[in-house]
Amino acid sequence: MSTAKKKEIRRIVEAIGRAIVEQRLVPGTRLVELKLVDALGANRNHIRAALLELSHQGLVSITINKGAMVACPSQQEAADVFVVRRLLEAEAMVLAAERIEDTDLAALRKLIEEERQAVEEGRRPAAVKLAARFHIELARIAGNQVLSDMLERLLGRCSLIVSMYQKDSRSHECHCDEHTQLVELLAAGDVDTAVLSMRQHLDNLESSLDLTQEEEQVTDFVALFADSVPTE
């Protein structure tokens, strides 16, 4: 595969994946190839390759004779994802506590303030994106690339789960407060309490789910991917 082709497929994967993680593409949305071709200014073969990659990441489901759609995680998958997140993020907190510096703390606090502002302004996709970045940044500080890669992929699936099952979008405000608590515990060097607080944070997120699937929505792909089309 040529470098140019790989780059183009990666562009499509990132555009669709970002829309899924930010909950602009909801679970069950049909990903019609021809519509994506037009919306993303891409060719059909590249779209197919990108959708296949996204299916490997657990973000897209591909069914013979039905095509691709944004994945709809089951209740059991939702529970399994949170089990794994608790394991990974507890270890991330331990490792991060050993390496964290003042510049890292400042970066985390900045992310939280940006997330809080997005919540207050009702910018849900931005709030979701910033919340995920907070957890990814913690994993980066931990210094274990394998853990960081696993968590980043898992966060995408978790975003689908939250999109499907969350009872009240206002719970994002509580998550900001919990993120602040996690940072201050790391700043104080209280590792044991930080680990417990991370577990509680994820417990709270899981308990905010009602396991009720939303109805399929019609999506305007051209408008959704307007900022992802390559310019001449």
Side-chain angles (χ1 to χ4, degrees):
M1 184 184 298
S2 69
T3 301
K5 183 175 181 180
K6 288 180 180 178
K7 184 176 180 180
E8 175 64 0
I9 292 171
R10 175 51 48 191
R11 177 183 74 85
I12 299 166
V13 167
E14 290 178 353
I16 298 175
R18 185 168 58 249
I20 292 172
V21 170
E22 294 175 9
Q23 300 178 5
R24 293 182 287 123
L25 275 176
V26 299
T29 301
R30 296 197 177 279
L31 301 171
V32 181
E33 290 181 5
L34 288 178
K35 290 184 177 181
L36 291 171
V37 165
D38 292 338
L40 287 163
N43 74 49
R44 197 163 185 174
N45 287 335
H46 291 164
I47 292 292
R48 286 178 176 172
L51 292 175
L52 184 61
E53 170 61 25
L54 287 163
S55 74
H56 292 158
Q57 295 180 18
L59 298 180
V60 167
S61 297
I62 300 176
T63 307
I64 296 175
N65 298 326
K66 290 186 178 181
M69 68 170 60
V70 179
C72 296
S74 67
Q75 296 179 18
Q76 184 59 55
E77 182 178 348
D80 291 346
V81 163
F82 275 95
V83 168
V84 178
R85 273 197 71 176
R86 277 187 284 269
L87 292 171
L88 289 179
E89 298 211 53
E91 185 62 22
M93 292 296 281
V94 173
L95 295 174
E98 298 172 354
R99 297 166 50 90
I100 200 161
E101 298 179 354
D102 289 343
T103 53
D104 298 317
L105 292 168
L108 289 170
R109 289 176 177 129
K110 185 174 184 293
L111 273 176
I112 294 169
E113 286 309 307
E114 291 174 356
E115 180 189 1
R116 193 183 304 279
Q117 184 174 356
V119 170
E120 291 173 352
E121 295 174 356
R123 295 183 287 116
R124 180 178 172 84
V128 171
K129 178 181 179 179
L130 289 162
R133 279 180 58 193
F134 174 84
H135 287 269
I136 291 169
E137 181 66 10
L138 277 176
R140 183 198 64 77
I141 294 167
N144 185 309
Q145 190 60 51
V146 174
L147 186 154
S148 182
D149 290 344
M150 291 175 66
L151 182 58
E152 186 166 2
R153 181 167 293 196
L154 199 64
L155 282 166
R157 297 172 72 179
C158 192
S159 184
L160 282 175
I161 291 164
V162 171
S163 180
M164 284 182 67
Y165 299 127
Q166 192 167 54
K167 302 172 188 175
D168 186 352
S169 61
R170 291 174 298 179
S171 62
H172 278 292
E173 188 169 349
C174 298
H175 300 334
C176 292
D177 294 337
E178 291 170 6
H179 286 171
T180 297
Q181 181 184 36
L182 290 169
V183 171
E184 297 314 314
L185 287 169
L186 285 175
D190 190 346
V191 183
D192 291 341
T193 306
V195 170
L196 290 174
S197 294
M198 175 60 82
R199 290 182 180 276
Q200 185 61 55
H201 173 54
L202 297 175
D203 286 345
N204 292 342
L205 178 56
E206 185 175 11
S207 68
S208 74
L209 309 180
D210 66 6
L211 303 180
T212 299
Q213 184 172 331
E214 297 181 359
E215 295 181 358
E216 183 175 341
Q217 299 180 16
V218 177
T219 302
D220 183 343
F221 288 102
V222 172
L224 185 69
F225 294 115
D227 62 349
S228 299
V229 179
T231 57
E232 295 297 336

